[in-house]
Amino acid sequence: MDKPWRIIILGGGTAGWMAANLFAKQWPREQVQITLIDAPEIPIIGVGEGSTPSLKRFFKTLDIPECEWMPECQATYKANIRFVDWSPASGIGNYSHPFYSQPDVFNERAFFTNCRTRRLGLDVVTEPERFFINGELARQGKAPVAPKNFPFQMEYGYHFDSQLLGRYLARVAAARGVVHRQATFAQVLRNDVGDISALQTRAGDLISGDFFIDCTGFSSLLMQQGLAVPFRSYAQQLFNDSAVVMPMAAAQDYPVETRSTALTAGWCWHIPLMHRTGNGYVYSSQFINKDQAEAEFRAHLGVIDSAQECRHLQMRVGQLEQHWAFNCVGLGLSQGFIEPLEATALHLVQLTIEALIDALDQHQFTCAGREQFNRTVNNHFEGVRDYILAHYKLNTRGLINDEGDAAGYWRANRDNKHMPESLLQLLDVWFRCGDLAEELAQRKIKPAFNAASWHCLLAGYGAFPPLAPNQPGQGKGDLYRECDVAKFVEGCALNFPLHKTLLMSDRKLIEPGA
Ligand SMILES: Cc1cc2nc3c(=O)[nH]c(=O)nc-3n(C[C@H](O)[C@H](O)[C@H](O)COP(=O)(O)OP(=O)(O)OC[C@H]3O[C@@H](n4cnc5c(N)ncnc54)[C@H](O)[C@@H]3O)c2cc1C
């Protein structure tokens, strides 16, 4: 190329700034010129405060240490997600989904085997947090940050203030050569093959480019409105379409996990940040209205004072039929959204950017990699959808106590017949006592969640048959006890600092080894 290739990113939410930074890191300015446009009068969505471990990879790729970005974004560590009251009829009040880390390779077989033994009716330990290092760290309130001499790589996510993260990423991008223009987009101009040639702003300016990234949030101004790319809704599968949010004072003990509690017609998150706790109730408007949701949310939080305002949001679940159409890619909420359970939205943003960088590099900045890219991103979305959907399909709420209307939402989820074949097949393997890890390994497409995550979900829900009447005797066949998993996990945990101690310390002195 004799001139730099011009990428125009429309939208300056987290998705837009993540893309700007990863592009600027990947390609020198002489090769690719990056411009980000946003409208100061159109705010970012401003929710989304939990991540998966892929955000750790994001900052590593950008060479930004935790001691730099975390304090700026009031961030804390996340080792785990705790699910409360999702499966009361199984007798399990809560369970955890710990992020899988390298030391877990020693115990995952014991966990998988115990899950299978339990499916055969024997009484063995199957609580996920007892097998996984991050589960134990969360139980002890310890940070999952390994000291330099710890011989294994730790994985973890973060909690962060999304407004601050966006501002931080904008500053980094500007320092790395990304051009930031503030303007309100009005319409797309297209050439004779249908590609976008320029964006026209409300002030009448034309901003031309070679390639465009639509990061305009749920409005999807370029992909859906400009290029008429159809949207595949998941509303028949995932019922939640609304949320009500309200922050509260910070928790003094700084939990190292997100808490997701099932309520009448959805679930509520609690996300502990340095300066506050983020809370939100994600619900289905088919089952309760806005006022009912707010009243239940306030009662759940114990905040009756109406002077403390709630914010209401609408969500659209599903994905674009093509994430890349003509010379434009949808990214972030404009490309689709599953729902916030398991906090996968930024994870999908990052996978989409990485897939795009690969496609552009491999095909010399042409659209030749478009079909493969669309298949890849579609599969990521469907993999996440299946995992999230399983949380709803398998719930056992309202089975023991008649919760009246409250049970309606959960029963409808349990009885929902709109299940993808890919999910039904996995559940079938589990309930037939098959090898779930083997089933996932054989899939042509790498699953979005690994075998450990699926076992955590299914065991955490107590998705098991009743215990057999005759048990072989205390602890027989229980690999948790035979392999002394507790000793290993608790021994590993001795190496880690308390979460609160680490957050309050001079981070520059204790930057993690791995
Ligand atoms: C209730 C809820 C909870 C969530 N929780 C999580 C979570 O825990 N973890 C997670 O990873 N994700 C979560 N998400 C998703 C997360 O919020 C988003 O993925 C993330 O914030 C990225 O948003 P975005 O950048 O795509 O869009 P937005 O933040 O909406 O940004 C849109 C941008 O487009 C610009 N724009 C719009 N129109 C125009 C125009 N005409 N001209 C110029 N610019 C324009 C705006 O100015 C803005 O900069 C949650 C979402 C919801 C709804």
mmCIF file of all heavy atoms in Angstrom, residues 295-341:
data_model
loop_
_atom_site.group_PDB
_atom_site.id
_atom_site.type_symbol
_atom_site.label_atom_id
_atom_site.label_comp_id
_atom_site.label_asym_id
_atom_site.label_seq_id
_atom_site.Cartn_x
_atom_site.Cartn_y
_atom_site.Cartn_z
ATOM 1 N N ALA A 295 -39.401 -2.264 42.353
ATOM 2 C CA ALA A 295 -39.777 -2.505 43.754
ATOM 3 C C ALA A 295 -39.072 -3.748 44.287
ATOM 4 O O ALA A 295 -38.543 -3.757 45.403
ATOM 5 C CB ALA A 295 -41.295 -2.658 43.849
ATOM 6 N N GLU A 296 -39.036 -4.796 43.473
ATOM 7 C CA GLU A 296 -38.387 -6.028 43.938
ATOM 8 C C GLU A 296 -36.871 -5.834 44.100
ATOM 9 O O GLU A 296 -36.260 -6.319 45.046
ATOM 10 C CB GLU A 296 -38.667 -7.171 42.944
ATOM 11 C CG GLU A 296 -38.141 -8.500 43.466
ATOM 12 C CD GLU A 296 -38.264 -9.653 42.476
ATOM 13 O OE1 GLU A 296 -38.674 -9.414 41.322
ATOM 14 O OE2 GLU A 296 -37.918 -10.780 42.875
ATOM 15 N N PHE A 297 -36.309 -5.082 43.176
ATOM 16 C CA PHE A 297 -34.862 -4.799 43.204
ATOM 17 C C PHE A 297 -34.507 -4.018 44.472
ATOM 18 O O PHE A 297 -33.572 -4.364 45.203
ATOM 19 C CB PHE A 297 -34.540 -3.999 41.943
ATOM 20 C CG PHE A 297 -33.105 -3.618 41.739
ATOM 21 C CD1 PHE A 297 -32.079 -4.543 41.872
ATOM 22 C CD2 PHE A 297 -32.765 -2.308 41.366
ATOM 23 C CE1 PHE A 297 -30.752 -4.186 41.643
ATOM 24 C CE2 PHE A 297 -31.449 -1.936 41.136
ATOM 25 C CZ PHE A 297 -30.440 -2.882 41.282
ATOM 26 N N ARG A 298 -35.300 -2.999 44.748
ATOM 27 C CA ARG A 298 -35.038 -2.181 45.952
ATOM 28 C C ARG A 298 -35.169 -3.029 47.220
ATOM 29 O O ARG A 298 -34.353 -2.927 48.133
ATOM 30 C CB ARG A 298 -36.017 -1.001 46.018
ATOM 31 C CG ARG A 298 -35.680 0.119 45.057
ATOM 32 C CD ARG A 298 -36.691 1.239 45.181
ATOM 33 N NE ARG A 298 -36.355 2.340 44.302
ATOM 34 C CZ ARG A 298 -35.450 3.282 44.568
ATOM 35 N NH1 ARG A 298 -34.813 3.277 45.712
ATOM 36 N NH2 ARG A 298 -35.199 4.251 43.699
ATOM 37 N N ALA A 299 -36.200 -3.861 47.239
ATOM 38 C CA ALA A 299 -36.397 -4.694 48.439
ATOM 39 C C ALA A 299 -35.214 -5.658 48.590
ATOM 40 O O ALA A 299 -34.714 -5.880 49.694
ATOM 41 C CB ALA A 299 -37.706 -5.464 48.316
ATOM 42 N N HIS A 300 -34.763 -6.193 47.470
ATOM 43 C CA HIS A 300 -33.631 -7.135 47.509
ATOM 44 C C HIS A 300 -32.367 -6.446 48.037
ATOM 45 O O HIS A 300 -31.610 -7.014 48.818
ATOM 46 C CB HIS A 300 -33.411 -7.691 46.100
ATOM 47 C CG HIS A 300 -32.211 -8.575 45.983
ATOM 48 N ND1 HIS A 300 -32.134 -9.810 46.596
ATOM 49 C CD2 HIS A 300 -31.028 -8.401 45.335
ATOM 50 C CE1 HIS A 300 -30.962 -10.363 46.323
ATOM 51 N NE2 HIS A 300 -30.270 -9.532 45.566
ATOM 52 N N LEU A 301 -32.169 -5.194 47.623
ATOM 53 C CA LEU A 301 -30.973 -4.462 48.062
ATOM 54 C C LEU A 301 -31.166 -3.837 49.441
ATOM 55 O O LEU A 301 -30.197 -3.370 50.059
ATOM 56 C CB LEU A 301 -30.631 -3.328 47.073
ATOM 57 C CG LEU A 301 -30.274 -3.730 45.641
ATOM 58 C CD1 LEU A 301 -30.029 -2.486 44.798
ATOM 59 C CD2 LEU A 301 -29.043 -4.627 45.615
ATOM 60 N N GLY A 302 -32.427 -3.768 49.885
ATOM 61 C CA GLY A 302 -32.711 -3.095 51.162
ATOM 62 C C GLY A 302 -32.620 -1.580 51.034
ATOM 63 O O GLY A 302 -32.301 -0.883 51.995
ATOM 64 N N VAL A 303 -32.881 -1.055 49.816
ATOM 65 C CA VAL A 303 -32.843 0.402 49.605
ATOM 66 C C VAL A 303 -34.261 0.892 49.287
ATOM 67 O O VAL A 303 -34.720 0.795 48.151
ATOM 68 C CB VAL A 303 -31.903 0.781 48.432
ATOM 69 C CG1 VAL A 303 -31.867 2.291 48.242
ATOM 70 C CG2 VAL A 303 -30.507 0.254 48.673
ATOM 71 N N ILE A 304 -34.936 1.366 50.284
ATOM 72 C CA ILE A 304 -36.326 1.792 50.078
ATOM 73 C C ILE A 304 -36.355 3.283 49.704
ATOM 74 O O ILE A 304 -37.251 3.752 49.022
ATOM 75 C CB ILE A 304 -37.170 1.537 51.367
ATOM 76 C CG1 ILE A 304 -36.950 0.097 51.852
ATOM 77 C CG2 ILE A 304 -38.659 1.815 51.139
ATOM 78 C CD1 ILE A 304 -37.296 -1.000 50.865
ATOM 79 N N ASP A 305 -35.324 4.020 50.117
ATOM 80 C CA ASP A 305 -35.241 5.477 49.928
ATOM 81 C C ASP A 305 -35.361 5.839 48.436
ATOM 82 O O ASP A 305 -34.454 5.561 47.641
ATOM 83 C CB ASP A 305 -33.876 5.941 50.484
ATOM 84 C CG ASP A 305 -33.701 7.440 50.316
ATOM 85 O OD1 ASP A 305 -34.675 8.096 49.883
ATOM 86 O OD2 ASP A 305 -32.602 7.939 50.605
ATOM 87 N N SER A 306 -36.473 6.474 48.067
ATOM 88 C CA SER A 306 -36.681 6.749 46.642
ATOM 89 C C SER A 306 -35.805 7.895 46.144
ATOM 90 O O SER A 306 -35.717 8.140 44.936
ATOM 91 C CB SER A 306 -38.155 7.032 46.360
ATOM 92 O OG SER A 306 -38.559 8.113 47.161
ATOM 93 N N ALA A 307 -35.135 8.605 47.074
ATOM 94 C CA ALA A 307 -34.211 9.664 46.634
ATOM 95 C C ALA A 307 -33.023 9.046 45.885
ATOM 96 O O ALA A 307 -32.389 9.683 45.045
ATOM 97 C CB ALA A 307 -33.714 10.450 47.842
ATOM 98 N N GLN A 308 -32.745 7.789 46.193
ATOM 99 C CA GLN A 308 -31.661 7.121 45.465
ATOM 100 C C GLN A 308 -32.240 6.517 44.189
ATOM 101 O O GLN A 308 -33.006 5.553 44.234
ATOM 102 C CB GLN A 308 -31.063 6.032 46.352
ATOM 103 C CG GLN A 308 -29.715 5.583 45.851
ATOM 104 C CD GLN A 308 -28.986 4.758 46.901
ATOM 105 O OE1 GLN A 308 -29.312 4.787 48.074
ATOM 106 N NE2 GLN A 308 -27.983 4.033 46.462
ATOM 107 N N GLU A 309 -31.884 7.121 43.058
ATOM 108 C CA GLU A 309 -32.586 6.770 41.818
ATOM 109 C C GLU A 309 -32.062 5.502 41.164
ATOM 110 O O GLU A 309 -30.878 5.187 41.249
ATOM 111 C CB GLU A 309 -32.456 7.924 40.831
ATOM 112 C CG GLU A 309 -33.466 8.997 41.127
ATOM 113 C CD GLU A 309 -33.487 10.071 40.077
ATOM 114 O OE1 GLU A 309 -33.012 9.829 38.952
ATOM 115 O OE2 GLU A 309 -33.980 11.164 40.391
ATOM 116 N N CYS A 310 -32.961 4.816 40.472
ATOM 117 C CA CYS A 310 -32.579 3.649 39.661
ATOM 118 C C CYS A 310 -32.550 4.085 38.199
ATOM 119 O O CYS A 310 -33.253 5.009 37.806
ATOM 120 C CB CYS A 310 -33.628 2.549 39.771
ATOM 121 S SG CYS A 310 -33.645 1.704 41.332
ATOM 122 N N ARG A 311 -31.785 3.366 37.416
ATOM 123 C CA ARG A 311 -31.779 3.624 35.972
ATOM 124 C C ARG A 311 -32.354 2.399 35.262
ATOM 125 O O ARG A 311 -31.994 1.265 35.604
ATOM 126 C CB ARG A 311 -30.321 3.835 35.559
ATOM 127 C CG ARG A 311 -30.142 4.352 34.195
ATOM 128 C CD ARG A 311 -28.662 4.562 33.900
ATOM 129 N NE ARG A 311 -28.467 4.351 32.493
ATOM 130 C CZ ARG A 311 -27.391 3.835 31.951
ATOM 131 N NH1 ARG A 311 -26.365 3.507 32.700
ATOM 132 N NH2 ARG A 311 -27.302 3.672 30.655
ATOM 133 N N HIS A 312 -33.247 2.626 34.306
ATOM 134 C CA HIS A 312 -33.863 1.504 33.579
ATOM 135 C C HIS A 312 -33.272 1.407 32.166
ATOM 136 O O HIS A 312 -33.049 2.424 31.513
ATOM 137 C CB HIS A 312 -35.374 1.692 33.494
ATOM 138 C CG HIS A 312 -36.054 1.484 34.816
ATOM 139 N ND1 HIS A 312 -36.615 0.292 35.185
ATOM 140 C CD2 HIS A 312 -36.224 2.315 35.873
ATOM 141 C CE1 HIS A 312 -37.115 0.389 36.400
ATOM 142 N NE2 HIS A 312 -36.898 1.607 36.845
ATOM 143 N N LEU A 313 -33.046 0.187 31.723
ATOM 144 C CA LEU A 313 -32.449 -0.044 30.397
ATOM 145 C C LEU A 313 -33.223 -1.127 29.652
ATOM 146 O O LEU A 313 -33.781 -2.025 30.283
ATOM 147 C CB LEU A 313 -31.017 -0.582 30.552
ATOM 148 C CG LEU A 313 -29.968 0.286 31.182
ATOM 149 C CD1 LEU A 313 -28.894 -0.572 31.801
ATOM 150 C CD2 LEU A 313 -29.362 1.165 30.107
ATOM 151 N N GLN A 314 -33.193 -1.038 28.349
ATOM 152 C CA GLN A 314 -33.757 -2.100 27.502
ATOM 153 C C GLN A 314 -32.593 -2.853 26.867
ATOM 154 O O GLN A 314 -31.568 -2.235 26.561
ATOM 155 C CB GLN A 314 -34.565 -1.500 26.346
ATOM 156 C CG GLN A 314 -35.604 -0.511 26.782
ATOM 157 C CD GLN A 314 -36.936 -1.169 26.952
ATOM 158 O OE1 GLN A 314 -37.603 -1.406 25.972
ATOM 159 N NE2 GLN A 314 -37.311 -1.469 28.185
ATOM 160 N N MET A 315 -32.764 -4.119 26.625
ATOM 161 C CA MET A 315 -31.706 -4.896 25.969
ATOM 162 C C MET A 315 -32.300 -5.633 24.765
ATOM 163 O O MET A 315 -33.472 -6.004 24.794
ATOM 164 C CB MET A 315 -31.148 -5.970 26.902
ATOM 165 C CG MET A 315 -30.780 -5.508 28.276
ATOM 166 S SD MET A 315 -30.044 -6.818 29.264
ATOM 167 C CE MET A 315 -31.173 -8.162 29.120
ATOM 168 N N ARG A 316 -31.450 -5.848 23.786
ATOM 169 C CA ARG A 316 -31.903 -6.611 22.619
ATOM 170 C C ARG A 316 -30.970 -7.808 22.490
ATOM 171 O O ARG A 316 -29.752 -7.618 22.324
ATOM 172 C CB ARG A 316 -31.762 -5.699 21.393
ATOM 173 C CG ARG A 316 -32.380 -6.190 20.144
ATOM 174 C CD ARG A 316 -31.939 -5.312 19.008
ATOM 175 N NE ARG A 316 -30.475 -5.128 19.031
ATOM 176 C CZ ARG A 316 -29.762 -4.744 17.988
ATOM 177 N NH1 ARG A 316 -30.348 -4.471 16.871
ATOM 178 N NH2 ARG A 316 -28.451 -4.606 18.070
ATOM 179 N N VAL A 317 -31.497 -9.029 22.631
ATOM 180 C CA VAL A 317 -30.605 -10.185 22.609
ATOM 181 C C VAL A 317 -30.640 -10.882 21.250
ATOM 182 O O VAL A 317 -31.706 -11.038 20.655
ATOM 183 C CB VAL A 317 -30.910 -11.201 23.749
ATOM 184 C CG1 VAL A 317 -30.653 -10.594 25.109
ATOM 185 C CG2 VAL A 317 -32.333 -11.722 23.666
ATOM 186 N N GLY A 318 -29.473 -11.257 20.790
ATOM 187 C CA GLY A 318 -29.349 -11.902 19.490
ATOM 188 C C GLY A 318 -28.048 -11.452 18.844
ATOM 189 O O GLY A 318 -27.193 -10.860 19.507
ATOM 190 N N GLN A 319 -27.932 -11.730 17.570
ATOM 191 C CA GLN A 319 -26.709 -11.318 16.863
ATOM 192 C C GLN A 319 -27.024 -11.006 15.406
ATOM 193 O O GLN A 319 -28.040 -11.476 14.856
ATOM 194 C CB GLN A 319 -25.634 -12.404 16.953
ATOM 195 C CG GLN A 319 -26.024 -13.739 16.356
ATOM 196 C CD GLN A 319 -24.816 -14.626 16.068
ATOM 197 O OE1 GLN A 319 -23.767 -14.142 15.642
ATOM 198 N NE2 GLN A 319 -24.949 -15.930 16.272
ATOM 199 N N LEU A 320 -26.146 -10.253 14.779
ATOM 200 C CA LEU A 320 -26.303 -9.943 13.354
ATOM 201 C C LEU A 320 -26.160 -11.217 12.529
ATOM 202 O O LEU A 320 -25.395 -12.111 12.911
ATOM 203 C CB LEU A 320 -25.198 -8.965 12.911
ATOM 204 C CG LEU A 320 -25.245 -7.545 13.458
ATOM 205 C CD1 LEU A 320 -23.988 -6.780 13.028
ATOM 206 C CD2 LEU A 320 -26.496 -6.815 12.966
ATOM 207 N N GLU A 321 -26.847 -11.276 11.410
ATOM 208 C CA GLU A 321 -26.658 -12.455 10.544
ATOM 209 C C GLU A 321 -25.265 -12.469 9.939
ATOM 210 O O GLU A 321 -24.703 -13.532 9.713
ATOM 211 C CB GLU A 321 -27.738 -12.512 9.473
ATOM 212 C CG GLU A 321 -28.986 -13.063 10.088
ATOM 213 C CD GLU A 321 -30.042 -13.490 9.110
ATOM 214 O OE1 GLU A 321 -29.814 -13.427 7.883
ATOM 215 O OE2 GLU A 321 -31.122 -13.863 9.588
ATOM 216 N N GLN A 322 -24.719 -11.304 9.665
ATOM 217 C CA GLN A 322 -23.292 -11.225 9.280
ATOM 218 C C GLN A 322 -22.645 -10.139 10.132
ATOM 219 O O GLN A 322 -23.155 -9.012 10.170
ATOM 220 C CB GLN A 322 -23.102 -10.814 7.817
ATOM 221 C CG GLN A 322 -23.559 -11.801 6.790
ATOM 222 C CD GLN A 322 -24.662 -11.203 5.955
ATOM 223 O OE1 GLN A 322 -24.689 -10.004 5.724
ATOM 224 N NE2 GLN A 322 -25.569 -12.034 5.518
ATOM 225 N N HIS A 323 -21.556 -10.486 10.758
ATOM 226 C CA HIS A 323 -20.848 -9.492 11.582
ATOM 227 C C HIS A 323 -19.955 -8.610 10.702
ATOM 228 O O HIS A 323 -19.539 -7.543 11.104
ATOM 229 C CB HIS A 323 -20.034 -10.198 12.670
ATOM 230 C CG HIS A 323 -20.918 -10.922 13.644
ATOM 231 N ND1 HIS A 323 -21.274 -10.390 14.851
ATOM 232 C CD2 HIS A 323 -21.569 -12.110 13.554
ATOM 233 C CE1 HIS A 323 -22.089 -11.231 15.488
ATOM 234 N NE2 HIS A 323 -22.281 -12.280 14.716
ATOM 235 N N TRP A 324 -19.647 -9.117 9.515
ATOM 236 C CA TRP A 324 -18.873 -8.339 8.538
ATOM 237 C C TRP A 324 -19.691 -8.340 7.244
ATOM 238 O O TRP A 324 -19.945 -9.398 6.662
ATOM 239 C CB TRP A 324 -17.512 -8.999 8.339
ATOM 240 C CG TRP A 324 -16.596 -8.372 7.334
ATOM 241 C CD1 TRP A 324 -16.865 -7.412 6.407
ATOM 242 C CD2 TRP A 324 -15.210 -8.701 7.159
ATOM 243 N NE1 TRP A 324 -15.759 -7.124 5.671
ATOM 244 C CE2 TRP A 324 -14.711 -7.894 6.110
ATOM 245 C CE3 TRP A 324 -14.332 -9.588 7.769
ATOM 246 C CZ2 TRP A 324 -13.386 -7.969 5.669
ATOM 247 C CZ3 TRP A 324 -13.017 -9.662 7.338
ATOM 248 C CH2 TRP A 324 -12.550 -8.847 6.295
ATOM 249 N N ALA A 325 -20.134 -7.165 6.817
ATOM 250 C CA ALA A 325 -20.876 -7.051 5.553
ATOM 251 C C ALA A 325 -20.240 -5.919 4.749
ATOM 252 O O ALA A 325 -19.908 -4.874 5.316
ATOM 253 C CB ALA A 325 -22.339 -6.736 5.814
ATOM 254 N N PHE A 326 -20.076 -6.131 3.463
ATOM 255 C CA PHE A 326 -19.373 -5.164 2.601
ATOM 256 C C PHE A 326 -18.021 -4.822 3.263
ATOM 257 O O PHE A 326 -17.295 -5.736 3.626
ATOM 258 C CB PHE A 326 -20.242 -3.927 2.343
ATOM 259 C CG PHE A 326 -21.525 -4.290 1.625
ATOM 260 C CD1 PHE A 326 -22.707 -4.520 2.317
ATOM 261 C CD2 PHE A 326 -21.523 -4.432 0.242
ATOM 262 C CE1 PHE A 326 -23.869 -4.893 1.652
ATOM 263 C CE2 PHE A 326 -22.695 -4.794 -0.429
ATOM 264 C CZ PHE A 326 -23.862 -5.020 0.277
ATOM 265 N N ASN A 327 -17.740 -3.530 3.469
ATOM 266 C CA ASN A 327 -16.449 -3.172 4.102
ATOM 267 C C ASN A 327 -16.677 -2.645 5.526
ATOM 268 O O ASN A 327 -16.069 -1.671 5.932
ATOM 269 C CB ASN A 327 -15.702 -2.134 3.245
ATOM 270 C CG ASN A 327 -16.508 -0.855 3.081
ATOM 271 O OD1 ASN A 327 -17.725 -0.854 3.275
ATOM 272 N ND2 ASN A 327 -15.825 0.227 2.725
ATOM 273 N N CYS A 328 -17.582 -3.322 6.230
ATOM 274 C CA CYS A 328 -17.918 -2.844 7.576
ATOM 275 C C CYS A 328 -18.106 -4.028 8.529
ATOM 276 O O CYS A 328 -18.684 -5.055 8.152
ATOM 277 C CB CYS A 328 -19.217 -2.031 7.489
ATOM 278 S SG CYS A 328 -19.698 -1.293 9.051
ATOM 279 N N VAL A 329 -17.607 -3.856 9.745
ATOM 280 C CA VAL A 329 -17.768 -4.887 10.774
ATOM 281 C C VAL A 329 -18.546 -4.294 11.942
ATOM 282 O O VAL A 329 -18.298 -3.154 12.352
ATOM 283 C CB VAL A 329 -16.368 -5.391 11.242
ATOM 284 C CG1 VAL A 329 -16.449 -6.114 12.586
ATOM 285 C CG2 VAL A 329 -15.783 -6.327 10.198
ATOM 286 N N GLY A 330 -19.511 -5.072 12.476
ATOM 287 C CA GLY A 330 -20.224 -4.659 13.684
ATOM 288 C C GLY A 330 -19.451 -5.133 14.897
ATOM 289 O O GLY A 330 -18.915 -6.247 14.904
ATOM 290 N N LEU A 331 -19.387 -4.291 15.912
ATOM 291 C CA LEU A 331 -18.607 -4.658 17.100
ATOM 292 C C LEU A 331 -19.306 -4.141 18.353
ATOM 293 O O LEU A 331 -19.756 -2.999 18.395
ATOM 294 C CB LEU A 331 -17.201 -4.032 16.982
ATOM 295 C CG LEU A 331 -16.199 -4.439 18.050
ATOM 296 C CD1 LEU A 331 -15.780 -5.895 17.893
ATOM 297 C CD2 LEU A 331 -14.955 -3.562 17.976
ATOM 298 N N GLY A 332 -19.351 -4.982 19.379
ATOM 299 C CA GLY A 332 -20.009 -4.576 20.623
ATOM 300 C C GLY A 332 -21.511 -4.753 20.500
ATOM 301 O O GLY A 332 -22.007 -5.615 19.762
ATOM 302 N N LEU A 333 -22.256 -3.902 21.183
ATOM 303 C CA LEU A 333 -23.713 -4.071 21.209
ATOM 304 C C LEU A 333 -24.316 -3.945 19.812
ATOM 305 O O LEU A 333 -25.393 -4.465 19.547
ATOM 306 C CB LEU A 333 -24.330 -3.048 22.166
ATOM 307 C CG LEU A 333 -23.906 -3.230 23.637
ATOM 308 C CD1 LEU A 333 -24.422 -2.083 24.490
ATOM 309 C CD2 LEU A 333 -24.373 -4.563 24.199
ATOM 310 N N SER A 334 -23.633 -3.268 18.896
ATOM 311 C CA SER A 334 -24.176 -3.137 17.536
ATOM 312 C C SER A 334 -24.132 -4.477 16.798
ATOM 313 O O SER A 334 -24.880 -4.681 15.851
ATOM 314 C CB SER A 334 -23.419 -2.072 16.745
ATOM 315 O OG SER A 334 -22.254 -2.616 16.217
ATOM 316 N N GLN A 335 -23.265 -5.394 17.201
ATOM 317 C CA GLN A 335 -23.191 -6.685 16.511
ATOM 318 C C GLN A 335 -24.083 -7.726 17.183
ATOM 319 O O GLN A 335 -24.413 -8.747 16.601
ATOM 320 C CB GLN A 335 -21.750 -7.206 16.478
ATOM 321 C CG GLN A 335 -21.260 -7.799 17.773
ATOM 322 C CD GLN A 335 -19.821 -8.294 17.766
ATOM 323 O OE1 GLN A 335 -19.060 -7.918 18.628
ATOM 324 N NE2 GLN A 335 -19.419 -9.112 16.824
ATOM 325 N N GLY A 336 -24.457 -7.455 18.455
ATOM 326 C CA GLY A 336 -25.314 -8.391 19.171
ATOM 327 C C GLY A 336 -24.983 -8.431 20.643
ATOM 328 O O GLY A 336 -23.985 -7.862 21.092
ATOM 329 N N PHE A 337 -25.833 -9.120 21.375
ATOM 330 C CA PHE A 337 -25.664 -9.202 22.829
ATOM 331 C C PHE A 337 -26.386 -10.463 23.274
ATOM 332 O O PHE A 337 -27.484 -10.738 22.790
ATOM 333 C CB PHE A 337 -26.303 -7.947 23.463
ATOM 334 C CG PHE A 337 -26.102 -7.825 24.956
ATOM 335 C CD1 PHE A 337 -24.856 -8.011 25.524
ATOM 336 C CD2 PHE A 337 -27.174 -7.500 25.780
ATOM 337 C CE1 PHE A 337 -24.664 -7.876 26.899
ATOM 338 C CE2 PHE A 337 -26.992 -7.361 27.154
ATOM 339 C CZ PHE A 337 -25.731 -7.550 27.714
ATOM 340 N N ILE A 338 -25.748 -11.212 24.155
ATOM 341 C CA ILE A 338 -26.422 -12.428 24.626
ATOM 342 C C ILE A 338 -27.255 -12.068 25.863
ATOM 343 O O ILE A 338 -28.444 -12.238 25.885
ATOM 344 C CB ILE A 338 -25.406 -13.547 24.959
ATOM 345 C CG1 ILE A 338 -24.492 -13.832 23.771
ATOM 346 C CG2 ILE A 338 -26.130 -14.810 25.415
ATOM 347 C CD1 ILE A 338 -25.151 -14.441 22.580
ATOM 348 N N GLU A 339 -26.650 -11.599 26.845
ATOM 349 C CA GLU A 339 -27.213 -11.005 28.068
ATOM 350 C C GLU A 339 -26.071 -11.009 29.084
ATOM 351 O O GLU A 339 -25.071 -11.692 28.891
ATOM 352 C CB GLU A 339 -28.501 -11.704 28.542
ATOM 353 C CG GLU A 339 -28.307 -13.016 29.226
ATOM 354 C CD GLU A 339 -29.155 -13.123 30.492
ATOM 355 O OE1 GLU A 339 -28.667 -12.634 31.522
ATOM 356 O OE2 GLU A 339 -30.263 -13.689 30.453
ATOM 357 N N PRO A 340 -26.191 -10.265 30.200
ATOM 358 C CA PRO A 340 -24.986 -10.067 31.026
ATOM 359 C C PRO A 340 -24.551 -11.252 31.900
ATOM 360 O O PRO A 340 -23.457 -11.213 32.430
ATOM 361 C CB PRO A 340 -25.369 -8.896 31.939
ATOM 362 C CG PRO A 340 -26.661 -8.365 31.464
ATOM 363 C CD PRO A 340 -27.296 -9.391 30.602
ATOM 364 N N LEU A 341 -25.386 -12.285 32.017
ATOM 365 C CA LEU A 341 -24.988 -13.423 32.838
ATOM 366 C C LEU A 341 -23.653 -13.972 32.317
ATOM 367 O O LEU A 341 -23.505 -14.161 31.125
ATOM 368 C CB LEU A 341 -26.086 -14.503 32.743
ATOM 369 C CG LEU A 341 -26.050 -15.587 33.799
ATOM 370 C CD1 LEU A 341 -26.384 -15.030 35.176
ATOM 371 C CD2 LEU A 341 -27.057 -16.694 33.447
#
